[in-house]
Amino acid sequence: MATLLHIDSSVFPADASSSRAVADAFRSAWQEQHPEGTVIHRDLAAKPVPHITAHAHTAGFSDPATHSPEQAAAFAERVKLIEELERADAVLIGAPMYNLTIPSTLKAWLDNVVLFGRTAGDAQSVKGTPITVVASRGGAYGPGTPRAGYEYVQNYLSAVLADFLGADLDFIVPELTMAPADPGMADLVPLFEASRERALAEASAKAKQLAQRLAA
Ligand SMILES: Cc1cc2nc3c(=O)[nH]c(=O)nc-3n(C[C@H](O)[C@H](O)[C@H](O)COP(=O)(O)O)c2cc1C
């Protein structure tokens, strides 16, 4: 049965987080299709993974037989995260925009799992794996908006997940999430509400389509 790796990185709890709410809708629809499947949930805000260290990094480029005890220990932690990713038939990532880019906890996870010669580069051990990213953001950064040039979540994750890892990448984008709380964005509340509804509907539809595609 299929395995979904579900990663959250919002610092907010489920009832206050758009990315968690939309990811939950995706996950619920996925589980309806795969009641006997496995969902591995990794909450990077609750339980961050270690930042990459010199030992963990250099171990990735050297023969394991030559690793120092420090390199071996650090690399073993990295390999656990890589194997978890490699075992997944599909991946779901909640990636809120923090200061124009992804949360540092998600960056730390990426620094662990991107390993040239295994997951990245010529090898690409997760090539073709469907990865759905819920890219929530307080403002709007789509093409044609005044802040389009400041969009470093989708642009960055496309480079790393699609280009480095070769994943089959898709985005769901609930935006303008700060509109209800920011009086200066009051006019944008209807657009926020429409974006949220669209994101929730897309999450259910995409999860079902993906589950059916993987079962075929
Ligand atoms: C530390 C921090 C930095 C943020 N920086 C931005 C930003 O640069 N641009 C933006 O549009 N929203 C920004 N926001 C707002 C979040 O993107 C917004 O609250 C979004 O809904 C977060 O996703 P979540 O609801 O899943 O937590 C920031 C929020 C936090 C907590």
Side-chain angles (χ1 to χ4, degrees), residues 79-103:
V79 168
K80 275 189 213 160
L81 296 172
I82 289 171
E83 286 177 345
E84 185 177 76
L85 174 63
E86 289 174 340
R87 275 196 302 270
D89 298 291
V91 181
L92 169 66
I93 301 177
M97 178 183 278
Y98 289 171
N99 295 312
L100 305 179
T101 189
I102 60 171

Side-chain angles (χ1 to χ4, degrees), residues 147-181:
R147 290 196 171 193
Y150 291 102
E151 206 295 303
Y152 297 103
V153 174
Q154 288 178 267
N155 283 324
Y156 168 70
L157 289 177
S158 295
V160 175
L161 299 174
D163 298 345
F164 280 11
L165 302 189
D168 176 6
L169 183 62
D170 195 15
F171 288 101
I172 302 173
V173 184
E175 62 182 5
L176 297 167
T177 65
M178 290 189 321

